[in-house]
Amino acid sequence: MLVIFKSLEFKEGKLFLIDQRKLPGEKEYFLCHTYQDVEYAIARMVVRGAPAIGATAAYGLYLAAKEFQKHAKRDFFPKMREASYMLRKSRATAVSLAWALKRMERITEEEQDKELPEIVKRLKEEADKIAREDIEINRSIGRYGRELVAEGAVILTHCNTGGLATVGYGTALGVIRAAYERDKKIHVYANETRPWLQGARLTAFELREEGIPVTVIIDSVAATLIRDGKIDLIIVGADRIASNGDTANKIGTFMLSELAKNYHVPFYVAAPVSTIDFELDNGSEIEIEERAPEEVTHIQSIQIVPDGVDVYNPAFDLTPHENIDGIITEKGIIRAPYKEGLASLKQI
Ligand code: MRU
């Protein structure tokens, strides 16, 4: 029986987030009553993964609207713009955040002549729609992607791209799920993914719950496995894809893609179309989030780096499109030349 992990749920007037900082040890919910709670949850990684933070931000803007409807109508719109800006700044790289907020802003604009309670109602409907659609989109990515997974395949993945990183089901992990649902005998290697350990804590947790065979490795083992011919396929997610296919994803992805190219292992990115930033020509324009040094100097409050030592902690890196064999979207698998292929998705 497959378990569909849902990272978030809006009920009883508040947003319930599984606190991903505490998994797998504790299954605790973090409750967001206000848009400031939502901003905190995204910035502090209570919720993470591009599609999940997009949907979370949408509910954040709805919570803001609920609060601001108490004010005069002329104050409502500037306050909404401020709240949206604050939510957008909570993390830098994942374009899903800006994409979801833009959808919410469009509703605010379209409905601006209506009474505030009506606008607020429409915003809730839109946030629900974003969340609902995400699961359908992931299932579709899974259906396309599973065709790439051969019987008995050994798959390497990085970070967490499962139900926890999305509203449910997952992107790269959704492909793995979809293959498993078809009774394919697969084995997954999950990179632990320093420093947040999304692979060791979250991917391993999700796969174990579903009985999908998984082996956790430290990130530096990947090269040996790939060189020794132990990996048939690499599938990762994406935080932002430029129009030419260059892809920003969790730090370490680029290294895997170089290994894949060198040892001729198929390397695929699985992501919804909303992850494509058509405003960017290539990946050099993608802002790469840099996070606090403490994430590297400390492991669960234990200091492992001497005082006063510099740390460089980018959360993502850039994989050039030449290293990618295909981008699995909900509308099909796009291959090089990416510029044309990705642009065609706009029309479908
Ligand atoms: O820093 P995180 O945990 O938010 O990074 C997540 C990733 O890099 C994922 O691969 C990406 O968001 C895709 S999730 C479906």
Side-chain angles (χ1 to χ4, degrees):
M1 164 64 183
L2 288 175
V3 190
I4 303 278
F5 277 94
K6 287 185 103 188
S7 57
L8 57 101
E9 197 165 356
F10 197 93
K11 56 182 186 191
E12 299 153 18
K14 43 195 175 282
L15 183 62
F16 287 69
L17 299 171
I18 294 185
D19 193 335
Q20 299 194 31
R21 299 168 303 180
K22 302 200 170 154
L23 286 172
E26 293 160 51
K27 196 169 174 195
E28 243 178 55
Y29 286 89
F30 181 94
L31 270 49
C32 299
H33 302 266
T34 64
Y35 73 94
Q36 289 95 337
D37 293 342
V38 169
E39 191 270 341
Y40 175 93
I42 296 173
R44 301 297 181 93
M45 310 272 286
V46 173
V47 59
R48 29 68 47 201
I53 61 179
T56 300
Y59 281 116
L61 205 54
Y62 159 67
L63 285 171
K66 232 169 62 155
E67 184 186 326
F68 300 150
Q69 70 177 326
K70 295 172 194 134
H71 298 277
K73 199 172 172 186
R74 67 172 180 284
D75 296 331
F76 179 83
F77 298 101
K79 279 184 174 299
M80 284 294 281
R81 276 194 291 277
E82 271 171 41
S84 183
Y85 180 78
M86 176 178 159
L87 288 165
R88 190 166 308 182
K89 291 286 156 210
S90 56
R91 288 199 75 188
T93 305
V95 76
S96 318
L97 191 53
W99 168 85
L101 289 168
K102 260 188 225 155
R103 270 182 67 163
M104 297 293 281
E105 282 163 10
R106 206 172 307 136
I107 297 294
T108 317
E109 230 177 272
E110 283 167 12
E111 308 288 331
Q112 59 182 315
D113 295 331
K114 306 247 171 79
E115 294 298 319
L116 290 184
E118 180 58 25
I119 301 177
V120 173
K121 184 170 152 267
R122 285 285 297 110
L123 286 170
K124 170 68 167 47
E125 285 166 2
E126 189 66 8
D128 286 341
K129 194 158 172 251
I130 289 171
R132 212 174 37 244
E133 283 174 1
D134 182 62
I135 299 180
E136 288 159 22
I137 286 168
N138 294 336
R139 284 200 172 271
S140 179
I141 291 173
R143 278 192 294 274
Y144 282 112
R146 72 180 166 205
E147 302 304 325
L148 301 166
V149 181
E151 173 60 31
V154 178
I155 307 165
L156 175 64
T157 191
H158 192 58
C159 196
N160 172 264
T161 58
L164 292 164
T166 59
V167 180
Y169 202 71
T171 56
L173 222 55
V175 171
I176 289 168
R177 274 200 170 105
Y180 187 75
E181 279 172 352
R182 275 284 161 99
D183 294 328
K184 290 191 182 170
K185 304 252 172 311
I186 52 174
H187 191 98
V188 179
Y189 278 98
N191 274 352
E192 66 166 349
T193 319
R194 274 280 284 157
W196 269 87
L197 307 176
Q198 290 94 331
R201 297 187 302 107
L202 309 176
T203 299
F205 171 73
E206 286 196 41
L207 293 178
R208 195 212 44 198
E209 291 289 303
E210 292 187 13
I212 302 177
V214 57
T215 303
V216 172
I217 53 171
I218 60 168
D219 300 333
S220 37
V221 170
T224 304
L225 286 176
I226 292 170
R227 184 205 56 199
D228 293 349
K230 301 265 171 62
I231 303 294
D232 300 310
L233 177 65
I234 301 175
I235 318 178
V236 297
D239 281 79
R240 193 183 295 232
I241 301 172
S243 327
N244 70 343
D246 291 350
T247 294
N249 190 50
K250 180 53 57 194
I251 187 77
T253 304
F254 168 49
M255 192 162 66
L256 286 181
S257 78
E258 285 288 310
L259 286 162
K261 189 169 65 171
N262 201 41
Y263 292 100
H264 310 291
V265 176
F267 182 93
Y268 283 87
V269 170
V273 173
S274 57
T275 307
I276 306 163
D277 189 341
F278 289 106
E279 286 175 18
L280 305 186
D281 251 11
N282 61 70
S284 67
E285 298 166 59
I286 300 176
E287 186 184 346
I288 300 291
E289 174 188 5
E290 234 184 273
R291 295 189 60 89
E294 291 71 30
E295 292 182 355
V296 175
T297 56
H298 290 67
I299 295 180
Q300 292 184 334
S301 326
I302 297 171
Q303 187 170 341
I304 56 160
V305 177
D307 281 333
V309 171
D310 271 350
V311 166
Y312 174 47
N313 184 23
F316 302 97
D317 60 24
L318 200 67
T319 297
H321 62 91
E322 302 85 11
N323 289 9
I324 301 170
D325 287 294
I327 299 176
I328 310 161
T329 75
E330 70 274 26
K331 294 180 178 174
I333 302 176
I334 305 300
R335 296 176 192 276
Y338 287 106
K339 220 165 190 111
E340 290 77 3
L342 294 177
S344 74
L345 295 175
K346 280 203 271 191
Q347 274 97 55
I348 308 174

